[in-house]
Amino acid sequence: MLARERQICILDILDKNRIIKISEIVKSFSVSNETARRDLEFLQDQNLVKRIYGGAVPATTFDKNFVNNSAFVEKQGHRERAAIGKEASKLINEGESIFLDVGSTVHEVSRNIKRLKNLTVITNSVLVLNELADTDVALFTLGGKVNHDERTISGKLTEFVLQLFFVDKAFIGAGGITLSGGISDYNIDEALLKNTICEHAAKVILVAHSGKFGKNAFSAGCSLSKVNTIITDSKISKEYKDGIRDMGIELILTDFPKE
């Protein structure tokens, strides 16, 4: 089944049940958790669904004809994340210690650092752990409860263990980003963990595609004032370009290859 067809089915389920869980998508369509998350992230980018912890609900009344037209490109969003991840990896030097947060875009960062020497990575992302498990990277995982749907590790134990480390650079993701509300997420434990991450990193880099800006997710995380650099795609609005630069935050824009 093509991604487009699967996403139409997801909307059909939401139309009937008003809620869908990631685990339900995985079981119904025999796809990975990551694929299910990307489906929901794409649908959210199109303002068709609203992400919640572990799944999604309808954002509003949606037009299924929109989903069927040629503008509905199944790889939309992934290409931005891949380009952002590649650009972010250029900021990592051999010999450094880094923290890699949870999320699809941070996962893309991990795909691009496998050849670096003498690199230490701390993470609470199961996806990052799997990505770097067979490399020479010195890999540390934070203890805590594993969220099987989101492939993350979080909770009080995770925050306690994180406080034992200091890193050169932290790469964090977001569920939503606003100038006034800062960085937010759909999981309250992961949102709160970002504050600790920022306090224990010499430099904080936020990686997020342009669709995350201008919206608040469920749980407040940390202020943008704690971020040194933001890497996103060139579709970010002028309001946010100007606002970010006015705050003294370095802004790096990426373009993604068009097919």
Side-chain angles (χ1 to χ4, degrees):
M1 178 181 288
L2 295 175
R4 178 169 57 253
E5 297 170 333
R6 184 173 61 249
Q7 290 155 359
I8 293 171
C9 291
I10 290 171
L11 292 178
D12 283 335
I13 293 171
L14 279 169
D15 195 28
K16 296 174 183 176
N17 300 335
R18 311 307 294 170
I19 189 171
I20 192 168
K21 294 183 177 180
I22 287 177
S23 57
E24 182 181 354
I25 298 172
V26 170
K27 183 178 180 180
S28 297
F29 303 104
S30 299
V31 296
S32 67
N33 283 270
E34 184 177 6
T35 296
R37 281 195 304 274
R38 284 178 175 167
D39 282 343
L40 294 182
E41 286 173 352
F42 174 78
L43 292 173
Q44 179 172 259
D45 291 346
Q46 307 304 318
N47 296 317
L48 297 171
V49 308
K50 180 180 180 181
R51 286 291 311 274
I52 60 172
Y53 180 56
V57 295
T60 184
T61 303
F62 50 78
D63 180 3
K64 293 180 184 177
N65 290 327
F66 172 82
V67 185
N68 287 300
N69 69 31
S70 59
F72 194 83
V73 183
E74 63 186 71
K75 292 185 178 180
Q76 182 74 19
H78 174 65
R79 290 177 292 165
E80 286 96 328
R81 294 181 180 91
I84 293 167
K86 185 175 182 179
E87 188 68 28
S89 70
K90 297 176 183 178
L91 301 182
I92 302 173
N93 303 308
E94 293 186 351
E96 288 186 329
S97 60
I98 66 171
F99 179 85
L100 293 181
D101 192 17
V102 301
S104 300
T105 307
V106 179
H107 181 209
E108 292 295 335
V109 178
S110 71
R111 294 179 186 271
N112 291 277
I113 62 174
K114 298 179 182 180
R115 296 182 181 179
L116 292 178
K117 304 297 182 183
N118 192 27
L119 184 67
T120 300
V121 172
I122 303 169
T123 188
N124 62 322
S125 167
V126 176
L127 294 176
V128 171
L129 288 173
N130 290 338
E131 193 70 44
L132 299 178
D134 295 324
T135 69
D136 293 330
V137 171
L139 194 56
F140 291 80
T141 179
L142 301 178
K145 182 180 179 180
V146 175
N147 181 329
H148 296 281
D149 283 342
E150 299 288 343
R151 301 293 179 93
T152 62
I153 304 168
S154 61
K156 289 292 184 181
L157 179 59
T158 311
E159 185 171 355
F160 173 78
V161 175
L162 179 58
Q163 292 174 359
L164 303 177
F165 297 94
F166 288 94
V167 295
D168 296 309
K169 294 167 184 171
F171 293 81
I172 63 175
I177 307 157
T178 61
L179 296 174
S180 58
I183 301 167
S184 54
D185 216 317
Y186 298 100
N187 182 315
I188 188 169
D189 290 327
E190 291 166 12
L192 293 174
L193 190 66
K194 296 186 194 301
N195 271 309
T196 305
I197 295 169
C198 292
E199 292 170 0
H200 284 248
K203 185 174 184 179
V204 178
I205 299 101
L206 171 63
V207 292
H209 70 84
S210 57
K212 297 292 181 72
F213 291 84
K215 62 180 71 173
N216 289 313
F218 176 71
S219 303
C222 62
S223 168
L224 282 179
S225 63
K226 296 185 177 182
V227 174
N228 302 102
T229 301
I230 294 176
I231 306 176
T232 187
D233 60 84
S234 57
K235 292 189 292 185
I236 186 174
S237 69
K238 184 178 185 302
E239 175 192 358
Y240 273 84
K241 287 180 187 177
D242 294 341
I244 289 166
R245 287 166 175 155
D246 287 345
M247 294 179 69
I249 302 171
E250 178 186 24
L251 179 62
I252 299 175
L253 302 178
T254 67
D255 289 311
F256 58 94
K258 295 180 174 59
E259 297 180 342

